[in-house]
Amino acid sequence: MSQAIHTSVETVSKPAERFYFPELDVLRFFAFFAVFIHHWIGFYNEPGVLGVVGKAGAFGVDLFFTLSGYLITRLLLRERDETGDINLKNFYVRRTLRIWPLYYFSIALAFVLSQLPVSLTSAPPFVANAFAPMPPIGYLFMATFVYNFNFYGTLLTNPPPFMAQLWSLSVEEQFYLFWPWFARYMPRRRVVVVPILMIAVACVVRATVKFGMDRLMWNYTFVRIDPIAVGILIALLPTLKLGRGHRLLLLIIGIAGWGFAAGYCGIPIETVEYSTLKISLGFPAIALGSGAFLLATLGTRSLNPSSRLVRSLVYLGKISYGLYMYNTIATNTAHLLQFRGALRLPVLGSWSLWTESVLAILISFGLNAVLAAASYRWLESPFLRMKERFARVPSRAV
C-alpha cells in the first residue's frame, strides 16, 4: 500500500534525466487492480481457481510495498551518489506533500459519509452499513499513522470501518520514519544488512507471536515488512538486462508464489485460527512473488507510447494512489445501487444477479476512476508541483 501508490516512478540514468519508468506505472495499476478484485468479496468465497484469484488479489498491497521499498531506496541512493548526502528534511517534506493531502482528505470524507443516516447507507446482504461510523479514537489512530496497531478500537468495530485499507498507509509511513536514516549514514556495502534483518524479524514474529482478534496478523507491521525488504534488495542489485525468457520465468514465479500463498496457505487469513507452518511459508512466498513481478517489469522499454491502451494504463498507474483511497467508497456506492434495484434495467431483457453484479463492478471501477482523476488534478497536483521545489533528483512531471 505504497511509494507504489504515493510517489513518482523513478530510475537511475543520466543526472539530467528524470527518474521515471512508465512501465512501473503500469505495474502500479496492476497492484491496484488486484486489490480491487479482492475487495469484491464474492470472488474469494468462490471455490477453485476463482476463489484463489480473489484471495490473491489482496497481495496487490504487498506489490505496492515492494515498489515502495525499491523506489525509495533507489531515489535515496541516487541522491547520495550525486550530491554526497541525503537531505532528510527535504525527503520528509516531499513525503508529506505527496501523502498527507489526499490521506487526510480521505479521513475527513469518511467522517462526513459516516454521518449519513443508516436508512440511506444500509445495503444488506452486501454490507450492513456502507459508510459505517468509527469510534472517535479510531480517527486519532488514523491521523497518527498507527491505525494498524489499534485493533480493538478501530479495526474490530462492528461493522468494520469502510476505510480499513488505510492500515497499509500506516505501515508505509512507519517505514519512511527509519529507512532514510540508514540509507544516509550506513556505508553503502552494509546497507544490505538492514533488509535481511527485516526479513528475519518478519519470519521470527510470524512463528513466535500469538495472533488473534486483539492482534491481527494481516495488518501487523512486523509481519508485513518483508515485501518492503525485497524491494530494497532489488534496488541494491546492479542493473540487470533480462531477456523475454527470463521475464516470462519471473512472471511464472510471481503467479506461482501468490497462488501458493492463497491456494495452499489460505492467506489472507479470515479467522483467528491459522497454521504456523502455512503462514511461515505463505508470507515469504507473497514477498518473493511481488519481487518477481517487479523484476519482470523493470527495464522493459517495449511499451508503445502511441498506443491508447498503454497511455491509459500508465495514466491509471499515475492516479493509483487515489484509486486505492477511494476504492471502498466507490465499491460500497455500487453495492447501494445494486441493493436498491437501480441496476436492474428492463431494457436489457432477462436479468440475473450475476449480470447485475458485473454491472456493479463496472460502475464501481468507473466511479473510482472519476474520483481518482478529479482528485489528482485538483487536490494532489498543486501539492505535487510544490513538492518539486524540494526534489534534489528530478522525478516524473506532474
Side-chain angles (χ1 to χ4, degrees):
M1 204 279 113
S2 109
Q3 182 71 13
I5 305 176
H6 320 125
T7 77
S8 307
V9 180
E10 303 161 338
T11 183
V12 175
S13 56
K14 297 179 181 179
E17 294 180 356
R18 288 188 177 272
F19 195 50
Y20 177 52
F21 268 170
E23 59 266 36
L24 291 189
D25 272 337
V26 176
L27 185 62
R28 181 185 286 113
F29 171 69
F30 168 74
F32 158 74
F33 192 72
V35 174
F36 174 81
I37 292 297
H38 174 74
H39 280 176
W40 278 87
I41 192 168
F43 281 106
Y44 58 80
N45 285 334
E46 294 291 332
V49 175
L50 187 60
V52 172
V53 170
K55 289 178 75 70
F59 309 153
V61 172
D62 296 79
L63 183 53
F64 277 131
F65 286 160
T66 301
L67 277 163
S68 182
Y70 172 80
L71 291 168
I72 285 290
T73 303
R74 290 303 294 261
L75 177 62
L76 290 173
L77 294 183
R78 176 172 169 177
E79 179 181 340
R80 181 174 169 177
D81 291 342
E82 293 184 2
T83 68
D85 194 14
I86 295 173
N87 189 317
L88 294 175
K89 177 183 176 182
N90 281 15
F91 171 81
Y92 288 115
V93 170
R94 292 195 305 270
R95 294 295 83 226
T96 297
L97 292 172
R98 181 64 189 107
I99 296 172
W100 287 20
L102 177 53
Y103 182 82
Y104 286 108
F105 174 79
S106 298
I107 294 175
L109 180 60
F111 175 77
V112 171
L113 291 175
S114 70
Q115 303 308 302
L116 295 173
V118 177
S119 59
L120 293 178
T121 60
S122 177
F126 306 110
V127 58
N129 185 349
F131 304 121
M134 188 167 57
I137 190 65
Y139 292 99
L140 174 62
F141 277 81
M142 273 189 177
T144 54
F145 295 102
V146 289
Y147 176 38
N148 59 317
F149 288 115
N150 182 29
F151 303 115
Y152 275 129
T154 304
L155 289 175
L156 297 183
T157 56
N158 188 19
F162 67 96
M163 296 297 283
Q165 78 272 18
L166 268 63
W167 70 267
S168 62
L169 275 295
S170 296
V171 174
E172 296 232 17
E173 288 291 284
Q174 292 156 22
F175 165 63
Y176 298 151
L177 280 178
F178 82 89
W179 178 237
W181 297 83
F182 287 100
R184 182 184 186 188
Y185 291 110
M186 285 192 74
R188 181 69 176 265
R189 294 180 179 179
R190 297 181 183 177
V191 169
V192 69
V193 173
V194 180
I196 293 175
L197 287 176
M198 290 169 64
I199 294 173
V201 167
C203 291
V204 170
V205 169
R206 285 192 290 263
T208 60
V209 174
K210 178 65 177 177
F211 293 94
M213 296 304 286
D214 60 334
R215 184 184 289 118
L216 298 179
M217 181 181 302
W218 182 251
N219 309 93
Y220 198 63
T221 297
F222 298 107
V223 169
R224 312 296 281 119
I225 54 177
D226 36 1
I228 298 176
V230 168
I232 295 173
L233 289 173
I234 293 174
L236 296 175
L237 291 174
T239 302
L240 301 176
K241 295 183 179 180
L242 301 175
R244 291 185 178 180
H246 293 105
R247 295 186 187 280
L248 178 60
L249 178 61
L250 286 166
L251 285 175
I252 293 173
I253 292 173
I255 294 170
W258 282 20
F260 171 76
Y264 175 75
C265 301
I267 301 172
I269 300 165
E270 303 300 332
T271 69
V272 296
E273 299 296 329
Y274 61 88
S275 163
T276 301
L277 174 62
K278 287 186 176 181
I279 65 169
S280 297
L281 295 174
F283 280 98
I286 298 169
L288 176 64
S290 300
F293 285 132
L294 174 57
L295 281 171
T297 307
L298 274 172
T300 55
R301 295 295 186 180
S302 59
L303 294 180
N304 181 5
S306 63
S307 166
R308 180 175 297 178
L309 174 61
V310 169
R311 292 199 307 271
S312 298
L313 292 175
V314 170
Y315 176 74
L316 288 170
K318 188 177 179 179
I319 65 171
S320 59
Y321 181 23
L323 289 173
Y324 184 79
M325 296 296 282
Y326 297 118
N327 187 37
T328 51
I329 294 177
T331 297
N332 287 358
T333 299
H335 280 319
L336 283 173
L337 293 173
Q338 186 176 5
F339 170 70
R340 299 184 185 284
L343 305 186
R344 297 174 186 169
L345 305 179
V347 295
L348 296 180
S350 61
W351 201 251
S352 68
L353 181 60
W354 186 89
T355 310
E356 187 177 309
S357 297
V358 170
L359 182 57
I361 292 173
L362 294 175
I363 289 175
S364 171
F365 183 85
L367 176 60
N368 196 3
V370 169
L371 290 173
S375 174
Y376 187 85
R377 179 172 181 179
W378 288 298
L379 173 61
E380 299 167 60
S381 290
F383 292 97
L384 291 176
R385 284 188 284 270
M386 192 183 306
K387 169 178 168 279
E388 291 182 347
R389 304 175 190 173
F390 300 91
R392 303 183 77 188
V393 175
S395 59
R396 181 185 62 192
V398 178

